[in-house]
Amino acid sequence: MGEEISEDRSEGFGERLLGLLLDRARHLPPQLIAPLIAEEVSRVGGRDVSVLLQDYAQELLVPLPGRKLHVAQPEPVIGSPAGRAFLRGEVVEVPQARGGVRMYLPLLDGSDTVGVMALTLDAVGDDDRRLLSRLSGLVADLLVTKNAYTDQFFQARRREPMSVSAEIQWGLLPPLTMTVPQVAVAGSLEPAYRVAGDSFDYALNDNILHAAVIDAMGHGLDAATMATVAIGAYRHARRVFISLGEKYAFMDDAISRQFGPDHFVTAQLMHVNVATGEMALVNAGHPAPLLIRHGRVVRQLDSATTLPVGFGGEAPRIREHTLQQGDRVLCYTDGLIEEHLAGGEMFGEQRLIDCVNRLGEEPSQGLRADLRQLSYTLKSERGGHTSDDATLFMIEWRGGAADHLAVLD
């Protein structure tokens, strides 16, 4: 099949291998990407190749089916070698009892991990590690590109039927994680297959991180439709306006015009200057975000009362906060703390704070892994179910000057 390349580990060999994969993949239909990946990995002696994608509940890494791929059982995100590679964005190597090494390589699209590529080699050297890391990056790019015009990857990630409202919401979301030297974000939605009115959005424009968390009233398609209009209005305002006040007013006008005076969306709108840590916050009907420092909640980030979006309220009052390096800001929707426990009592904010503090006693595994662990812990504490939409969104400010040379290396 095409150009033959002898097994080698040199830099020149790697360049030819990656170039050949890129050339061949450009025109291949999505269903042939999997066998192409397996074939290219075999050229460096790799076998039993699996491509693992995160399921929508963010609990499992499920194997992508495909000719020449090794399809085994799904692996848990928490507590497995594949999950460790996925959450930390690091290569994990596991020696095999019968010889050889099983490698788990994160599939990184920018700073977002889209999955894991697993393969077995008889022996692993530095040349293998360098080449396979570059190969996994190219595989991630291919999956993201092909994903734009096929349903195969969506279908592989589903572990149960998805509602139409959830379909709409997942289509709205930006990548669940973003990491650059100065700031990182991570988010999660529950219940993954039935979420309706919750959503979040963000963009890093120059030195300003723009972020929003919303909760549209109601359930099902009505809430999903309102959330779609709210996020669309937010993105439009973000791209043509500057201030938080203008964003709020634009969203407010869009919701009230489209749905009338009896409908509303609660929202948190934020600007974070990633160079200085200065944060501006508009809180329109949400629970106040939590400021986490050194793994513990130190206080709520209170703000002046602002009416939910859609009520035609006055110009919002904006609260300013200053973050310290390493600070995290946790935003959440009310479905999380208003969940009723077995005895009828609400879960409540204090239980949320206790969970955050308890997890903060353990060494951090990185923002993505820590938020996943928090989400699992909260779900377990609430009895393993979520009757209303419950969203978590976390920002970590790292500070320091942007490393422009990193882009050029």
Side-chain angles (χ1 to χ4, degrees):
M1 293 180 64
E3 179 184 345
E4 293 297 327
I5 303 178
S6 60
E7 187 172 323
D8 189 354
R9 299 294 196 276
S10 69
E11 189 77 12
F13 164 78
E15 291 176 357
R16 295 196 305 275
L17 177 68
L18 297 176
L20 179 59
L21 174 60
L22 185 60
D23 290 342
R24 294 175 65 188
R26 185 176 294 118
H27 301 294
L28 281 184
Q31 69 270 20
L32 295 184
I33 291 297
L36 176 61
I37 292 169
E39 179 183 335
E40 296 304 304
V41 170
S42 71
R43 294 178 184 272
V44 293
R47 62 182 184 277
D48 297 335
V49 182
S50 296
V51 173
L52 304 169
L53 303 178
Q54 179 181 225
D55 78 318
Y56 281 94
Q58 301 185 62
E59 296 176 350
L60 296 171
L61 291 166
V62 296
L64 180 67
R67 186 167 53 88
K68 297 187 178 183
L69 284 182
H70 176 67
V71 179
Q73 292 298 312
E75 300 200 33
V77 171
I78 299 293
S80 71
R84 200 156 68 246
F86 178 79
L87 290 172
R88 297 186 186 181
E90 301 172 353
V91 178
V92 174
E93 299 177 11
V94 181
Q96 302 296 285
R98 297 182 179 180
V101 177
R102 188 72 172 163
M103 296 187 69
Y104 299 88
L105 299 108
L107 298 175
L108 295 169
D109 174 48
S111 61
D112 186 33
T113 312
V114 300
V116 172
M117 183 171 68
L119 57 98
T120 301
L121 286 173
D122 289 332
V124 181
D126 290 341
D127 288 337
D128 301 299
R129 294 183 180 96
R130 182 179 61 252
L131 176 55
L132 289 170
S133 291
R134 293 175 179 176
L135 177 61
S136 66
L138 183 52
V139 169
D141 289 342
L142 293 176
L143 291 175
V144 170
T145 300
K146 301 296 181 181
N147 185 60
Y149 53 84
T150 184
D151 292 327
Q152 290 182 323
F153 305 144
F154 291 103
Q155 291 166 335
R157 294 174 59 199
R158 293 186 181 182
R159 306 300 294 170
E160 60 183 84
M162 181 175 285
S163 69
V164 175
S165 59
E167 191 87 61
I168 291 171
Q169 289 302 77
W170 281 103
L172 273 180
L173 286 177
L176 295 179
T177 59
M178 178 202 70
T179 304
V180 295
Q182 294 169 296
V183 71
V185 302
S188 68
L189 292 183
E190 291 183 6
Y193 295 94
R194 299 184 307 281
V195 66
D198 280 12
S199 192
F200 61 83
D201 196 42
Y202 63 85
L204 181 59
N205 297 332
D206 295 323
N207 275 341
I208 303 299
L209 173 70
H210 304 252
V213 180
I214 69 159
D215 180 3
M217 66 169 285
H219 303 279
L221 276 176
D222 287 343
T225 302
M226 212 179 324
T228 301
V229 173
I231 290 294
Y234 171 74
R235 287 175 177 167
H236 179 72
R238 188 180 70 212
R239 292 162 184 168
V240 298
F241 300 137
I242 297 175
S243 74
L244 283 178
E246 288 173 312
K247 290 185 177 73
Y248 171 87
F250 195 84
M251 294 170 68
D252 182 77
D253 183 66
I255 294 298
S256 62
R257 284 176 179 271
Q258 184 65 33
F259 300 100
D262 297 328
H263 293 74
F264 64 90
V265 175
T266 62
Q268 283 172 346
L269 308 179
M270 293 158 280
H271 285 177
V272 179
N273 187 316
V274 300
T276 66
E278 295 173 350
M279 176 180 180
L281 170 68
V282 168
N283 194 342
H286 259 295
L290 302 178
L291 176 63
I292 303 168
R293 183 169 293 158
H294 306 306
R296 296 190 62 81
V297 176
V298 294
R299 62 186 172 92
Q300 294 178 321
L301 293 180
D302 293 323
S303 60
T305 302
T306 296
L307 287 175
V309 170
F311 279 166
E314 298 176 356
R317 285 176 284 180
I318 299 168
R319 183 68 182 270
E320 304 285 344
H321 300 278
T322 301
L323 303 179
Q324 296 181 13
Q325 284 188 310
D327 279 355
R328 290 176 171 181
V329 176
L330 177 64
C331 304
Y332 57 94
T333 55
D334 58 11
L336 194 149
I337 58 174
E338 293 178 0
E339 183 70 49
H340 287 274
L341 304 178
E345 182 184 6
M346 281 201 308
F347 184 75
E349 187 175 78
Q350 188 56 51
R351 283 191 177 91
L352 167 61
I353 293 172
D354 291 343
C355 287
V356 172
N357 290 341
R358 207 160 56 238
L359 292 174
E361 295 172 0
E362 302 295 326
S364 174
Q365 302 299 311
L367 186 68
R368 181 181 192 136
D370 291 351
L371 187 72
R372 277 287 81 225
Q373 186 63 62
L374 176 61
S375 179
Y376 292 153
T377 300
L378 291 172
K379 189 173 182 180
S380 175
E381 293 279 329
R382 299 195 315 273
H385 67 279
T386 302
S387 59
D388 192 10
D389 293 351
T391 293
L392 294 171
F393 182 77
M394 189 179 286
I395 300 169
E396 179 181 87
W397 183 62
R398 300 171 174 181
D403 184 4
H404 299 292
L405 294 179
V407 179
L408 304 176
D409 286 346

